[in-house]
Amino acid sequence: MPQPSDTEVLNAFQGSLNSQIDTLPAAWKSTLQAPHLQGILERLDAMLTERLAAGACIFPLRPFRALIETPPDAVQVVIVGQDPYHGPNQAQGLAFSVPDFCPTPPSLRNMFKELAREYGNPDQPPRNSLVRWARQGVLLLNTSLTVEAHQPASHARKGWEHITDALIMRVLREPRPKVLLLWGSHAQARRTLLDMQPPAGPIEVLTANHPSPLSALRPPRPFIGCGHFRQANDWLQAHGESGIDWMLARTPLAAPGYGG
């Protein structure tokens, strides 16, 4: 993606949620078509339409990007974020990820710092786009999938949490072994979903503080030093999975039909 000009916004939401849901892998699409979610999605769509009509700029362009890149039966790791980045041209629809032309956000910088602590410094700076993780089976899911420009958490408690909880519960129905990385109290609140949807296969839950500079080094479970990336891989490989090449420099090709 070319670097935009100072006034060009490439990642603004433009269309209806239903039109985007129609493009999703069948398993995700059927999940979102469940009757108990239809009313919530209709209210979210109406809210987004109203805010756009009022002149709001909403991010990202593709709220369901994480689902496009990672079908539920491909998930090995779930990383739960809070809401999308609220600056122009940052949010990609993947938690913690930004395009490579963007400066590295502070939380992502700490994630790279922890990776270097666990695996050693890479030969070249890591790319800010985490599509390479998503295409290996890392579901990078925010609990709110849209946000208004320069207004963090502006679409929290509007209904998105019910949608994304249902998506996590769908993943738990897959028998494939998987790891939940729950960083910070907001993500750790998702742990109750394990009681609502007992996992169909082996699962490991790793918790730590959020990688934000405000909490990454603080007790009770500092993010820096948590060892989660290597622990996740060790557990996955012990359960017969490939694990994730966290240090991969290039982006793997998308699966046929999933787009880039």
Side-chain angles (χ1 to χ4, degrees):
M1 181 184 293
Q3 184 167 352
S5 67
D6 291 341
T7 58
E8 187 179 14
V9 178
L10 302 177
N11 69 326
F13 178 75
Q14 298 170 2
S16 73
L17 293 178
N18 281 334
S19 65
Q20 299 204 16
I21 290 171
D22 285 341
T23 69
L24 295 178
W28 288 129
K29 184 177 178 180
S30 64
T31 300
L32 294 176
Q33 289 174 336
H36 71 286
L37 298 180
Q38 287 304 293
I40 298 171
L41 285 166
E42 289 172 5
R43 289 191 292 275
L44 282 166
D45 216 9
M47 182 268 293
L48 293 170
T49 300
E50 179 182 336
R51 294 302 300 140
L52 288 172
C57 186
I58 296 171
F59 307 127
L61 175 65
R62 292 185 286 173
F64 299 111
R65 174 75 181 277
L67 310 185
I68 294 172
E69 300 293 353
T70 317
D73 62 354
V75 174
Q76 296 188 71
V77 177
V78 180
I79 295 179
V80 179
Q82 190 160 351
D83 66 333
Y85 295 113
H86 55 85
N89 299 316
Q90 290 183 305
Q92 295 179 295
L94 302 169
F96 295 104
S97 178
V98 296
D100 293 330
F101 60 73
C102 287
T104 310
S107 293
L108 184 57
R109 188 180 306 119
N110 277 337
M111 290 165 66
F112 291 156
K113 184 182 295 185
E114 174 59 21
L115 275 169
R117 193 196 67 81
E118 295 182 37
Y119 287 99
N121 289 312
D123 294 333
Q124 56 188 0
R127 296 174 57 187
N128 289 337
S129 172
L130 302 180
V131 175
R132 64 190 182 280
W133 292 0
R135 292 182 183 170
Q136 294 181 76
V138 182
L139 182 63
L140 296 160
L141 189 67
N142 284 313
T143 50
S144 293
L145 298 186
T146 57
V147 71
E148 294 186 23
H150 310 300
Q151 297 184 52
S154 49
H155 290 180
R157 295 178 294 279
K158 303 290 187 183
W160 275 126
E161 292 84 355
H162 297 291
I163 302 300
T164 50
D165 282 356
L167 296 172
I168 295 172
M169 291 170 71
R170 174 63 183 82
V171 170
L172 295 176
R173 295 205 300 271
E174 290 290 335
R176 188 171 189 171
K178 58 189 64 68
V179 178
L180 302 186
L181 297 181
L182 304 181
W183 301 329
S185 58
H186 184 86
Q188 288 160 24
R190 267 57 249 168
R191 192 166 189 165
T192 60
L193 298 176
L194 297 172
D195 298 323
M196 299 170 63
Q197 177 63 64
I203 193 160
E204 176 79 341
V205 180
L206 300 176
T207 62
N209 288 359
H210 194 277
S212 162
L214 296 175
S215 58
L217 292 170
R218 296 175 61 181
R221 296 184 181 90
F223 176 80
I224 300 298
C226 69
H228 281 183
F229 297 105
R230 187 176 288 277
Q231 286 179 49
N233 270 351
D234 288 347
W235 186 90
L236 286 166
Q237 290 163 6
H239 286 78
E241 293 292 338
S242 61
I244 308 299
D245 185 350
W246 301 107
M247 305 299 281
L248 185 69
R250 61 181 178 83
T251 298
L253 293 176
Y258 288 90

